[in-house]
Amino acid sequence: MISRLIRTSILAILALGLAIIAAEGSPASAIGESQLRGLERPVVSVITADVSWVEPPGRLGLAGGWTVELAEPSLDLNDLAVGIVNGNAQRVRVIGTTVPGRRDKLVTRAEFVILTRHEITAPGRHGRQASAAGAQLDTAPIRHRSSALKDGETIVGFLSSFIPDGLTLHVDATTDYEVIVNGSTEFDGFTALTDLAIGDFLEVRGQVDGTTIIAERIKLRADGGGSILEGAITGFTASGFDLEVDSTIYEVVITSGTLFQNFGSLSDLEIGDDVKAKGDLQGTVLTATEVELISGGGGGGGGGGGGGGGGGGGGSGVDFEYKGLLTRLLPPDRFAMDDGRTYRVDASSIFDPIIGSYSGLAAGQYLEVKAVRTASGENLVAEIEFEGESQGGQGYVEFEGTVLAIDQSSLEFDNGTIVLLLPSTLFTGDADSWQAVVPGWSAEVRALLDLTGAFSAIEVRAENPQPATVGGQEFEPQQALVVPVAGANGDALGARYGAEVVGRVGDLALLLWWPDPIDDDLLADLSADFEVAAVEPNYYFRDPETVRRRYPTVDRNATNLKLLEQPAAHQVRMSESHSLADGQGIVIALIDTGVDPLHPVLRRRLIPGGLDLVDGDLTPWEERDGIDDDGDGDIDEATGHGTFVASIIAIAAPGASILPYRVLDDDGGGTAYNLALALADAIQRRVDVINLSLVYQERSTAVDLLLERAADQGIVVVTSAGNDSLASIPFPASDSHTLAVAALAADGLTLADFSNRSDGVDMVAPGDGVYGGLDEQTFGTSSGTSMAAPFVSATVAILLSADPGLDPLLVRNALAQSGVAIQDGVWSGKVLDMAAAAALVVNP
């Protein structure tokens, strides 16, 4: 079997000295940038490495041979160049697209963050492991001469995270400081660090050592109206607009009391305008008291001119026109076009007689829309004209068939039809790109028929009639994760077996892709290769609730009191534990379906820096697509899962910060490669706790090695035990480097009937009828071991905030010693007692 093709004798050697320098993402149809290098396939990538050289305005080189070509040369590299000249070796983290086989090229898409390298000296939980962490992260110490800020001189920025002995101050795209607080630090505008929140605007003075400040004074600045953000508008929302500030996207909320400077209303703004917004900043949401237009303001359009005949005002009272494809209905009164905008209709909207009303609209129609930008930022439809299913020989058609052949530019079907693939072609179903489609699969196609009779695919929904499985565990049929031995040439290794390297997890693992499905013989050959330590298919995994179709019930009469006073909170003595510690300064990485950043329970609790490895972007938010992508009869069944888990962490460890990663899609599925990328990034960021509410049927060696590395660096990993009612637990809960959590029944006396149980279970926590937050700012009740795990993750955060010197073994012992004994048939274990665990650490 494929799962057995592991060369354990080499793994023991391999585990030593592996460095996480880069983490590249998997191919995604959302990239839409294959035109950058002809027919070569770009993939979303995350690269972290030291800067080797800089050529302003738009090129720089990184250690390891990377050349970065900025997609936006307007980004100023002069400060970086000066930093290198002055001897400050710097490390950058870039999000961009790479081309397989051309490892020396990378084009940035979004984030560009520069981190000055410095010696790891911060005391606390990681202090005893500073040297090892520095070696694994390739952060060779560079000492800086200390200097005191002059009288009246301060450094101003936003509080981006808490560290064991202070906080991190985000100043701009090129500068972050660690602010160390001691007994002589003076506080102005607040009394203790616990009064501060992520996103607060601070003024700091003190002794500067590189990017570390020993704080003499920290002032909470109000500026008469709160925080100030200055940046470019990237889009409009129902309540305002999105603002990009130093590669971070903030939502600016406009209220009736918001004062406008240099413009009259939101309809005067456009995407790309530079604005300054002042107001109350909570996390990444700023409720504006004042908005000032700095530059831009062409007027009308809000989201910029339309395409396909769109552009400026189309007549009296019309701000812009757009001609294109209706892609999605959003009842009761909205729809989306292929320009990316959302439109709303009301009683004043004029419909073409062929359509008649909103009920006459349908996805796939070709329309001309005239719209008005309202003060709230909506695109209100003034008039809709139906351009028909065919216009001048053009039309949108739909058909289905069996894929006969495929290449980089077209699909051929068994009926002889050939469909051209575009950079913008959307792939759904069992394929997220053309690379994943296999001859013999069935496909539904929506395409544009042009005057020459050629079909250009708008959307392809491909289905694998016989999913590739090993022991019941599905995997990407043309992909494998390979763990090479140290020093092996990954590109040469892939080439020997006819594969392309389409992703890397640092120096730990390679993601290989073949034109045809892989088989046991191929993997056996790879396993026998002297340069391969381990090989496995790129397995799928899921959250345990969607596996067993256990979905939440939405509460239409939600209150915060229900969340805080629910029976589950009393069962673990949650509120009593908070009198001893609350998780202050601890960061919990939540690797799940993403989160709803606007949920009231999560405001001021999320920290920036997480990744969406499903879509390949920097916003790991919950997303619904309204499609049954996995063909199980349920739509978007997993959306809200990550928000629910995050909400339990938020109430159970009110002082902890949450760093979200999205590795599961809206149907609850993901790949081992994306999970490995998220784990590698979280480890590199030195988080304190990782919550994994997800399950496999097969063990992933690459993930196993990362779990071992997390434990070696003092990171506690908490996992859900699964919902199969079995006397065994799945991976990763079965891994010895994790804390496996089973679910307690609502009666508080036995295990929930759905919960797995075995000697590998470390802790039991409430998981039956738990109340929590869901996406779209709702609340509800859900059951599963995924709901139990965050109670334990939050408790671990509380223990670490009480004693930062605890390592994973000491945490495990504290939980076991303080837990309440439970007997369920022949199985026995310990139920979580948050207050007893905190007391054991605070008063040993």
Side-chain angles (χ1 to χ4, degrees), residues 4-5 38 48 143 165 174 222 235 332-333 352 407 471 582 683 757 771 780:
R4 304 301 181 191
L5 303 177
T48 303
R143 300 182 180 276
D165 49 0
T174 63
D333 59 359
D352 188 298
D407 60 26
D582 65 358
I683 293 169
R757 63 207 67 197
Y771 194 85

Side-chain angles (χ1 to χ4, degrees), residues 498-520:
E500 292 185 35
V501 178
V502 294
R504 286 180 170 85
V505 185
D507 286 346
L508 174 67
L510 306 171
L511 181 64
L512 299 185
W513 174 86
W514 284 265
D516 300 310
I518 61 178
D519 56 28
D520 284 351

Side-chain angles (χ1 to χ4, degrees), residues 147 189 291 330 341 374 580 586 642 764:
S147 63
V291 177
L330 304 168
R341 295 189 182 99
T374 68
L580 299 172
I586 301 302
V764 181

Side-chain angles (χ1 to χ4, degrees), residues 560-566 568-570 572 574-575 577-578 581-582 599-602 605 644-656 658 770-773 779 790-791 794-795 798 834:
N560 282 337
L561 187 61
K562 289 183 180 180
L563 184 65
L564 297 172
E565 295 297 327
Q566 61 177 302
H570 293 294
V572 295
M574 185 178 75
S575 60
S577 71
H578 296 164
D582 65 358
H599 201 288
V601 176
L602 302 183
R605 301 300 304 280
F644 197 104
V645 175
S647 71
I648 299 303
I649 293 173
I651 63 167
I658 301 171
V770 178
Y771 194 85
F779 292 84
F791 281 107
T795 306
I798 286 175
M834 294 180 64

Side-chain angles (χ1 to χ4, degrees), residues 209-230:
D209 183 7
T211 56
T212 301
I213 304 175
I214 309 300
E216 297 174 358
R217 186 188 69 170
I218 302 177
K219 180 180 180 180
L220 178 62
R221 289 180 52 164
D223 289 323
S227 301
I228 297 177
L229 300 177
E230 184 174 334

Side-chain angles (χ1 to χ4, degrees), residues 557-679:
N557 300 297
T559 66
N560 282 337
L561 187 61
K562 289 183 180 180
L563 184 65
L564 297 172
E565 295 297 327
Q566 61 177 302
H570 293 294
Q571 286 174 340
V572 295
R573 296 205 295 158
M574 185 178 75
S575 60
E576 291 94 325
S577 71
H578 296 164
S579 63
L580 299 172
D582 65 358
Q584 185 69 40
I586 301 302
V587 176
I588 302 176
L590 175 62
I591 301 178
D592 213 287
T593 64
V595 297
D596 179 356
L598 301 181
H599 201 288
V601 176
L602 302 183
R603 295 286 179 90
R604 305 170 73 91
R605 301 300 304 280
L606 305 176
I607 59 176
L611 298 171
D612 183 339
L613 293 162
V614 177
D615 290 340
D617 57 42
L618 302 171
T619 53
W621 314 141
E622 297 266 17
E623 297 183 25
R624 295 177 178 267
D625 66 6
I627 301 171
D628 180 14
D629 294 303
D630 57 2
D632 66 353
D634 295 316
I635 297 175
D636 299 330
E637 61 266 29
T639 315
H641 187 272
T643 299
F644 197 104
V645 175
S647 71
I648 299 303
I649 293 173
I651 63 167
S657 299
I658 301 171
L659 178 64
Y661 291 86
R662 183 174 180 240
V663 299
L664 298 173
D665 61 21
D666 51 3
D667 286 336
T671 65
Y673 173 66
N674 283 347
L675 175 58
L677 287 179
L679 284 169

Side-chain angles (χ1 to χ4, degrees), residues 238-325:
S239 56
F241 55 85
D242 290 330
L243 193 67
E244 182 174 3
V245 182
D246 297 331
S247 300
T248 299
I249 303 298
Y250 294 86
E251 180 189 1
V252 178
V253 177
I254 304 300
T255 68
S256 59
T258 303
L259 176 65
F260 295 152
Q261 300 281 3
N262 298 335
F263 67 104
S265 66
L266 282 180
S267 60
D268 296 328
L269 299 178
E270 296 180 348
I271 291 176
D273 287 347
D274 292 324
V275 300
K276 179 187 293 184
K278 179 187 292 187
D280 178 25
L281 182 65
Q282 297 185 0
T284 58
V285 178
L286 182 123
T287 303
T289 57
E290 180 180 336
V291 177
E292 178 183 356
L293 176 61
I294 299 174
S295 64
S316 177
V318 175
D319 289 331
F320 69 96
E321 300 177 7
Y322 179 75
K323 184 181 292 185
L325 183 70

Side-chain angles (χ1 to χ4, degrees), residues 696-709:
Y696 286 82
Q697 291 177 340
E698 296 286 329
R699 176 178 295 272
S700 167
T701 302
V703 172
D704 178 69
L705 287 173
L706 286 165
L707 294 175
E708 180 180 356
R709 182 173 295 170

